């Protein structure tokens, strides 16, 4: 994971964006935020599991599906299975040591908002 401070490539309203192998952050202070970096590391693992490009295709498709479902971009973002896994486990700094392969799949089911 290569962390780069580059606020102009980070979408407005977001602290970071993970584009394997880079994590683009808008605020240099986030380099020291272990929970935030763990969230981004979870995304790195997800991207590797799906061989990077399919991750982005799935991510965009799921976002669009959820946007239609909820008619709200913010709700759609938080409903994406990859984000659900990352947010649910970002505080567990040991999570990636025991995480099973394609664990994000359990976050695809039964989402209620």
């Amino acid at each position: 994971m290569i962390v780069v401070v580059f606020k102009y490539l980070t979408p407005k309203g977001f602290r970071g964006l993970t584009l394997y192998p880079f994590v683009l952050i808008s605020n240099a202070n986030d380099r020291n935020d272990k929970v935030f970096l763990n969230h981004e590391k979870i995304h790195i693992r997800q991207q590797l599991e799906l061989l990077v490009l399919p991750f982005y295709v799935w991510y965009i498709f799921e976002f669009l599906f959820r946007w239609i479902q909820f008619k709200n971009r913010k709700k759609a973002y938080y409903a994406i299975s990859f984000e659900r896994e990352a947010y649910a486990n970002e505080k567990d700094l040991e999570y990636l040591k025991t995480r099973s392969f394609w664990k994000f799949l359990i976050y695809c089911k039964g989402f209620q908002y």
Side-chain angles (χ1 to χ4, degrees):
M1 180 172 81
I2 303 165
V3 179
V4 179
V5 179
F6 199 59
K7 67 181 178 179
Y8 300 109
L9 277 183
T10 306
K12 186 177 180 180
F14 291 90
R15 293 172 62 191
L17 175 68
T18 303
L19 300 169
Y20 181 84
F22 301 99
V23 174
L24 307 174
I25 60 174
S26 57
N27 186 334
N29 292 331
D30 283 334
R31 286 183 174 193
N32 301 317
D33 187 332
K34 291 180 184 198
V35 171
F36 171 74
L37 292 177
N38 195 47
H39 179 102
E40 301 306 327
K41 285 178 186 176
I42 293 168
H43 287 318
I44 291 283
R45 179 73 59 87
Q46 294 165 339
Q47 291 173 16
L48 284 171
E49 286 175 347
L50 288 171
L51 305 176
V52 184
L53 185 58
F55 169 87
Y56 299 114
V57 172
W58 187 325
Y59 192 102
I60 291 167
F61 175 78
E62 189 172 352
F63 172 76
L64 293 173
F65 176 80
R66 298 298 187 180
W67 193 5
I68 291 166
Q69 180 183 18
F70 298 119
K71 297 171 182 56
N72 180 301
R73 285 187 301 173
K74 189 173 184 178
K75 286 181 181 179
Y77 164 76
Y78 285 108
I80 297 169
S81 57
F82 301 114
E83 294 300 340
R84 292 178 62 211
E85 178 188 14
Y87 280 111
N89 298 288
E90 66 186 5
K91 292 179 183 172
D92 180 358
L93 302 181
E94 303 296 313
Y95 176 68
L96 288 173
K97 291 180 181 177
T98 59
R99 179 186 179 269
S100 60
F101 193 72
W102 282 26
K103 181 75 176 227
F104 68 89
L105 288 175
I106 69 166
Y107 294 91
C108 291
K109 302 182 213 170
F111 183 75
Q112 300 293 322
Y113 202 66

